[in-house]
Amino acid sequence: AILAELALADRTRIAVTEEPCERPGPRCHASFLINPIKDKEYLVFGGEYYNGERVYMYNDLFRLKDNKGELSWVKISSPNTPKPRSSHQAIANRQHMYVMGGEFTSPSQMQFYHHKDMWRLDLA
């Protein structure tokens, strides 16, 4: 019973959901990549938006599909995801997307954190 509970907790921790959505809100310093395993599909991760008063940091991942000129967005979510960041580096190779480093800015812009981590996201 304990092993079954641990296995369920692990599956929940790494569960990935995909949901059709509207185009993401405006942002800068995000990554925009070509998906290496799907034709005419792109990946958008993270970024930040400043509305003149407050900074919004993102850690969301989107797929942009181009189906003969008709664009559709899908939001990909998981409890096990990188923390919000902008100005990071990202590459996509084979079946994975790698996210490295980046910066977090508090909403008031009074605190900054520079990430020194690397994440591998499975694109399959």
Side-chain angles (χ1 to χ4, degrees):
I2 292 174
L3 289 178
E5 287 178 27
L6 290 173
L8 177 62
D10 194 45
R11 280 195 306 275
T12 302
R13 183 181 60 83
I14 62 172
V16 174
T17 58
E18 295 187 22
E19 185 176 335
C21 65
E22 296 295 317
R23 180 182 69 202
R27 61 189 68 203
C28 62
H29 307 292
S31 54
F32 185 87
L33 304 167
I34 295 172
N35 189 340
I37 61 173
K38 300 219 177 160
D39 246 5
K40 296 192 177 192
E41 187 171 282
Y42 309 92
L43 304 163
V44 177
F45 175 77
E48 65 181 90
Y49 172 69
Y50 180 63
N51 67 1
E53 296 178 12
R54 181 172 190 251
V55 174
Y56 296 87
M57 301 294 297
Y58 301 105
N59 68 334
D60 40 18
L61 176 63
F62 295 93
R63 279 189 180 148
L64 171 60
K65 297 180 183 183
D66 182 357
N67 187 11
K68 297 181 182 176
E70 187 169 326
L71 302 178
S72 62
W73 290 91
V74 174
K75 184 173 184 177
I76 303 167
S77 303
S78 174
N80 187 27
T81 186
K83 292 183 179 179
R85 63 190 66 213
S86 64
S87 303
H88 55 280
Q89 301 297 312
I91 61 168
N93 186 25
R94 296 192 176 112
Q95 295 184 20
H96 298 100
M97 176 179 172
Y98 298 89
V99 176
M100 298 152 283
E103 176 180 273
F104 174 81
T105 305
S106 68
S108 65
Q109 294 185 327
M110 297 300 288
Q111 294 179 327
F112 298 91
Y113 178 78
H114 296 274
H115 294 285
K116 298 175 186 143
D117 58 357
M118 181 171 164
W119 287 78
R120 185 181 82 174
L121 309 176
D122 190 352
L123 300 175

